[in-house]
Amino acid sequence: MHSESDGTTSTATTRGPRESTTTKTVKHAMARMRRRSTATTNTTLFLTVLISLLAFLGFVPVFAPLPSLAFRNPPPPPPPPHHRHRHNNVNGRKFEIEDDMFRKDGEPFRIIGGDLHYFRILPQHWEDRLLRAKALGLNTIQTYVPWNLHEPKPGKLVFSGIADLVSFLKLCQKLDLLVMLRPGPYICAEWDLGGFPAWLLAKKPALKLRSSDRAYLQLVERWWGVLLPKIAPLLYDIGGPIVMVQIENEFGSYGDDKEYLHHLVTLARAHLGKDIILYTTDGGTRETLLKGTIRGDAVFAAVDFSTGAEPWPIFKLQKQFNAPGKSPPLSSEFYTGWLTHWGEKIAKTDADFTASYLEKILSQNGSAVLYMAHGGTNFGFYNGANTGNSESDYQPDLTSYDYDAPIKESGDVDNPKFKAIRRVVEKFSPASLPSVLPDNEKAGFGPIQLQKTALLFDLLDVLDPADVVESENPLSMESVGQMFGFLLYVSEFGGKDYGSSLLISKVNDRAQVFISCPTEDNSGRPTYVGTIERWSNRALSLPNFRCGSNISLFVLVENMGRVNYGPYMFDEKGILSSVYLGGKVLRGWKMIPVPFHNLNEVPKISPILEVAYSGLIKASARKKLEHNAGNITKEPAFYVGRFSIDKVNQVKDTYLSFSGWGKGIAFVNEFNLGRFWPSFGPQCDLYVPAPILRHGENLVVIFELESPNSELVIHSVNQPDFTCGSSKSNVLQL
């Protein structure tokens, strides 16, 4: 998926004395706080070498020659795979490229595909969305594999639930859909850090991602050494659905390290064999193709380009980067819509315009993969972000990844774009298309009354003291093991020793600042001072407290999603600079992780949420809640509500509307729906798939960072709304 800085997608959007109560709480929390060798005879050795040499000579022509290595320590050769899969061809099955066309079992084949990402859809909805893709006329599904979803912590591998890739691939096979698999290791995809695990950022010395850096490649080899053997039994020629496997992703828009690409090719061949089609995807310009492709016939070079660009001159250029007869015209990302960032107008593309350019490709026997066929949702904390001309020009993605795709976020297909694309595809399909499924019913369960159950600063003593890190200077989130969500930085200063101007020159991404002092007016409660944002950083003036003791400084930093594309991808989170008070460096920090589970992490529940929705807080804290019922200090707090679904057949998709709320995250029945930010817009609500809900009582927990709705009410509604924010017009027509 291209970002706007690529240049190939012009349709992109732009853009001592008595301590304070909270100090005591923090101090109390702190106090609790690979070669196997065999002997052979000379004759056996000679025969073995001879056979190997002959095999090698037969294999070498597949590869373009490697350029000379340009650095002192070349990347190590990939290790031999743990389990080389030797499977026989099943019933003559074969997917190949010949005479500038794809051939499936010897017959010409046109790929009419679409991106549909298993990790953006609940597993219970996979089949529903795939059937809708078939009804659109698609014969192929393209999907990324996000490394960070499957290895959220080093060595902790997850291939179950929403991460059950093998089950998803087998479902595609069951439904007679081919698969183009994009295993990265970098995927972009508007996904946190482009699919890289955030713990890579904590490695010292720092890794050079997407390069021939030895340390980085060793981690890639370990990851692919797990992943590729899982997909090898699912290759097309041995009975599975996978016909093509992508190497990296749009590398020509990033770098030109050919050694890195060749290394990935060698590694993929070692695990998947010589017959699978490997491919690269790059923007349809000479520069990106020069840098991102592998010349020769080892790897097929596909292209993508802006919808609205004339396709056939670009396909003519594509042929120059493939071997003769090996260049079937393929747009592996035909854009049906576009992404939207927080604070932007929702992106829309015209249905007939989009369909007309698809017809230009298909009418001359070209192939195309719709990006996206179905966008889905960035559940949890996995949304990505883009940057503009500088690192501080930060643009985080919405929770919704609807993408204005023909199959909407909830699976709806009764819309002009689905109908227009289906009409075009139907013209070029050898068989009649499957019937279209009706839209899934959705329900609105009405208003949900919430109750404030806990203030964040009153829950610090339920956190594990072992998780708190102390340091002279602030540390990044990744350094303290907090990969997603929030990290609370705590320090103290003497009011007489420092000035009142607070400056944090680099904070990623958004920091809410509080100070506290035990005065008669606020009883030690943290007072909100202001917010420092990565994209509009400024110094804050602190109020002049008369305090008999040190003043406590609290900085709650939110990770709003790591950059997934471009030169600023090494995107650490948290406070990444010194903190200055009155021009002096403030030292002595505690970093306190605020534990919220992400999409696929275990355990599914955190102690802080357990307390929040159990309401088990001390009587003194309960009084504070009552006292602060009208609190306007923007102290982050938890709100809990319940709603009932009386009958089993009433359990249907819904949306939670956060109109009138500020900013935060929401959980339904312990599932992390993602972020809401209606005050910034344009997304007003969060999609709640029916499998999250249950017959009977359902529990909603909201962590509101700023200003709750005055009536403490959210609404369950039956349709999405993208009209929030300050802009009068919230649609950007591309």
Side-chain angles (χ1 to χ4, degrees):
M1 170 59 218
H2 278 300
S3 172
E4 55 269 27
S5 58
D6 185 296
T8 66
T9 51
S10 58
T11 60
T13 59
T14 57
R15 75 132 191 135
R18 180 180 160 216
E19 296 176 304
S20 72
T21 303
T22 311
T23 303
K24 286 182 179 179
T25 299
V26 173
K27 289 187 175 180
H28 176 64
M30 286 296 303
R32 294 193 327 162
M33 316 262 155
R34 323 176 182 209
R35 217 181 247 275
R36 188 173 53 190
S37 64
T38 56
T40 62
T41 64
N42 290 338
T43 302
T44 304
L45 179 60
F46 173 78
L47 290 173
T48 302
V49 170
L50 180 60
I51 292 169
S52 299
L53 180 60
L54 290 172
F56 176 73
L57 290 173
F59 189 63
V60 161
V62 177
F63 289 92
L66 287 168
S68 60
L69 298 177
F71 29 75
R72 269 180 215 171
N73 297 313
H82 297 298
H83 303 286
R84 184 183 297 277
H85 294 274
R86 289 192 174 97
H87 297 285
N88 295 323
N89 184 279
V90 176
N91 297 326
R93 286 167 63 98
K94 193 172 184 65
F95 194 90
E96 58 190 333
I97 295 174
E98 188 177 281
D99 300 328
D100 286 337
M101 67 179 68
F102 296 108
R103 288 188 178 272
K104 178 174 172 279
D105 304 332
E107 298 296 324
F109 184 83
R110 185 210 314 267
I111 292 174
I112 305 178
D115 262 80
L116 185 151
H117 301 157
Y118 62 97
F119 47 90
R120 286 182 158 122
I121 310 165
L122 290 192
Q124 298 92 327
H125 278 166
W126 285 345
E127 184 163 5
D128 176 85
R129 304 304 192 260
L130 290 171
L131 288 172
R132 295 173 189 277
K134 281 181 69 73
L136 187 58
L138 306 188
N139 55 32
T140 305
I141 296 298
Q142 185 171 246
T143 186
Y144 290 116
V145 180
W147 184 358
N148 52 10
L149 180 82
H150 296 282
E151 194 175 6
K153 295 181 180 179
K156 303 295 184 182
L157 293 160
V158 182
F159 286 93
S160 60
I162 203 167
D164 192 349
L165 171 63
V166 170
S167 291
F168 177 78
L169 296 174
K170 288 181 177 179
L171 183 56
C172 291
Q173 180 179 5
K174 169 191 166 186
L175 298 177
D176 196 27
L177 286 162
L178 302 180
V179 171
M180 296 168 61
L181 196 68
R182 312 173 89 177
Y186 163 77
I187 66 170
C188 185
E190 285 73 63
W191 194 254
D192 187 81
L193 199 59
F196 285 126
W199 48 264
L200 294 180
L201 302 181
K203 295 287 185 180
K204 303 298 179 187
L207 300 175
K208 187 176 180 182
L209 304 179
R210 306 185 72 186
S211 80
S212 298
D213 173 32
R214 278 180 175 271
Y216 163 68
L217 283 179
Q218 287 170 354
L219 291 167
V220 171
E221 289 164 3
R222 191 185 71 185
W223 160 233
W224 271 17
V226 173
L227 174 65
L228 298 188
K230 287 182 178 293
I231 70 168
L234 295 166
L235 301 183
Y236 182 79
D237 63 349
I238 55 175
I242 302 172
V243 293
M244 296 171 65
V245 175
Q246 182 174 288
I247 298 297
E248 242 269 351
N249 186 59
E250 297 177 327
F251 189 71
S253 298
Y254 178 80
D256 58 1
D257 187 342
K258 296 292 187 179
E259 290 81 6
Y260 168 51
L261 295 180
H262 277 282
H263 194 78
L264 294 180
V265 170
T266 305
L267 185 61
R269 290 282 181 220
H271 287 287
L272 304 178
K274 64 182 178 62
D275 295 326
I276 183 68
I277 297 174
L278 302 180
Y279 70 109
T280 55
T281 293
D282 286 288
T285 68
R286 184 171 297 278
E287 180 184 2
T288 54
L289 287 165
L290 279 170
K291 294 193 295 184
T293 59
I294 299 175
R295 303 303 286 268
D297 61 359
V299 180
F300 167 60
V303 291
D304 58 28
F305 44 86
S306 171
T307 303
E310 289 299 327
W312 288 98
I314 299 173
F315 289 144
K316 183 178 179 180
L317 176 64
Q318 176 195 9
K319 291 188 71 170
Q320 299 177 27
F321 293 86
N322 284 304
K326 299 291 186 179
S327 192
L330 170 64
S331 173
S332 56
E333 290 189 8
F334 176 87
Y335 300 113
T336 62
W338 198 251
L339 62 107
T340 304
H341 304 116
W342 287 109
E344 295 179 346
K345 301 173 184 178
I346 192 71
K348 295 284 184 182
T349 58
D350 181 77
D352 291 333
F353 175 85
T354 303
S356 68
Y357 275 85
L358 178 61
E359 185 164 9
K360 288 187 177 189
I361 295 174
L362 300 184
S363 64
Q364 298 187 49
N365 291 319
S367 292
V369 180
L370 309 182
Y371 194 101
M372 298 290 295
H374 170 58
T377 310
N378 295 318
F379 294 117
F381 297 119
Y382 274 120
N383 70 276
N386 286 298
T387 53
N389 294 325
S390 68
E391 188 177 358
S392 61
D393 185 9
Y394 173 76
Q395 303 157 10
D397 298 326
L398 300 182
T399 300
S400 171
Y401 199 63
D402 179 82
Y403 211 85
D404 196 31
I407 306 172
K408 311 310 290 180
E409 182 177 16
S410 63
D412 285 2
V413 294
D414 187 10
N415 63 77
K417 188 168 288 184
F418 185 94
K419 294 173 183 177
I421 291 176
R422 179 176 151 86
R423 281 195 300 268
V424 168
V425 173
E426 199 164 24
K427 291 182 183 180
F428 304 100
S429 294
S432 59
L433 302 186
S435 59
V436 179
L437 298 174
D439 288 351
N440 292 319
E441 288 189 47
K442 285 165 282 293
F445 301 108
I448 304 171
Q449 185 66 51
L450 304 181
Q451 177 185 0
K452 184 191 289 187
T453 59
L455 296 163
L456 175 64
F457 295 114
D458 290 327
L459 297 183
L460 298 182
D461 58 351
V462 308
L463 303 178
D464 189 343
D467 292 335
V468 178
V469 177
E470 297 190 49
S471 174
E472 273 294 286
N473 298 300
L475 301 175
S476 71
M477 285 188 172
E478 295 80 8
S479 297
V480 302
Q482 180 75 355
M483 302 304 167
F484 297 97
F486 303 84
L487 185 64
L488 180 64
Y489 293 80
V490 182
S491 189
E492 293 183 348
F493 64 96
K496 298 178 181 179
D497 302 326
Y498 293 85
S500 62
S501 176
L502 175 70
L503 176 64
I504 310 176
S505 59
K506 189 170 184 180
V507 59
N508 290 356
D509 299 306
R510 192 171 187 271
Q512 293 169 265
V513 180
F514 305 82
I515 60 174
S516 72
C517 179
T519 66
E520 292 182 3
D521 292 335
N522 65 11
S523 302
R525 296 304 304 169
T527 298
Y528 173 72
V529 174
T531 298
I532 300 173
E533 296 168 324
R534 175 174 176 170
W535 52 93
S536 58
N537 200 330
R538 60 187 176 85
L540 293 179
S541 294
L542 305 185
N544 186 15
F545 273 177
R546 291 183 178 181
C547 191
S549 66
N550 284 343
I551 297 171
S552 293
L553 173 68
F554 302 89
V555 184
L556 181 66
V557 179
E558 179 184 6
N559 167 0
M560 291 190 60
R562 293 180 181 83
V563 173
N564 56 260
Y565 179 90
Y568 306 113
M569 254 188 49
F570 200 94
D571 190 21
E572 291 182 287
K573 298 302 185 181
I575 296 178
L576 306 177
S577 65
S578 295
V579 176
Y580 293 89
L581 263 176
K584 297 180 181 180
V585 175
L586 183 60
R587 304 191 187 277
W589 289 87
K590 298 180 180 73
M591 275 64 64
I592 306 176
V594 182
F596 293 112
H597 63 272
N598 204 357
L599 182 58
N600 61 327
E601 291 178 328
V602 176
K604 295 291 185 182
I605 194 63
S606 71
I608 201 165
L609 277 181
E610 285 183 329
V611 173
Y613 55 60
S614 68
L616 297 176
I617 51 179
K618 297 177 182 177
S620 58
R622 199 177 298 277
K623 288 181 180 178
K624 291 171 188 171
L625 285 176
E626 295 169 2
H627 176 72
N628 287 282
N631 187 4
I632 58 171
T633 64
K634 294 190 177 181
E635 183 173 347
F638 294 87
Y639 301 82
V640 176
R642 293 171 172 81
F643 66 97
S644 292
I645 302 178
D646 297 331
K647 299 178 180 179
V648 173
N649 62 3
Q650 293 176 339
V651 178
K652 298 171 182 175
D653 288 1
T654 190
Y655 299 86
L656 292 184
S657 172
F658 291 90
S659 179
W661 290 76
K663 186 180 195 302
I665 57 175
F667 300 81
V668 171
N669 296 331
E670 304 177 10
F671 183 88
N672 189 336
L673 292 175
R675 312 170 200 273
F676 62 86
W677 198 4
S679 59
F680 207 50
Q683 184 173 356
C684 308
D685 44 34
L686 294 177
Y687 172 53
V688 185
I692 294 172
L693 303 175
R694 56 198 178 209
H695 171 223
E697 186 177 83
N698 293 265
L699 185 67
V700 180
V701 180
I702 292 173
F703 180 50
E704 167 62 59
L705 292 166
E706 298 181 342
S707 50
N709 173 288
S710 59
E711 297 178 354
L712 300 187
V713 172
I714 61 173
H715 290 81
S716 167
V717 297
N718 62 4
Q719 57 186 1
D721 184 358
F722 292 95
T723 63
C724 285
S726 57
S727 175
K728 292 182 180 179
S729 172
N730 287 83
V731 174
L732 178 65
Q733 192 72 38
L734 299 178

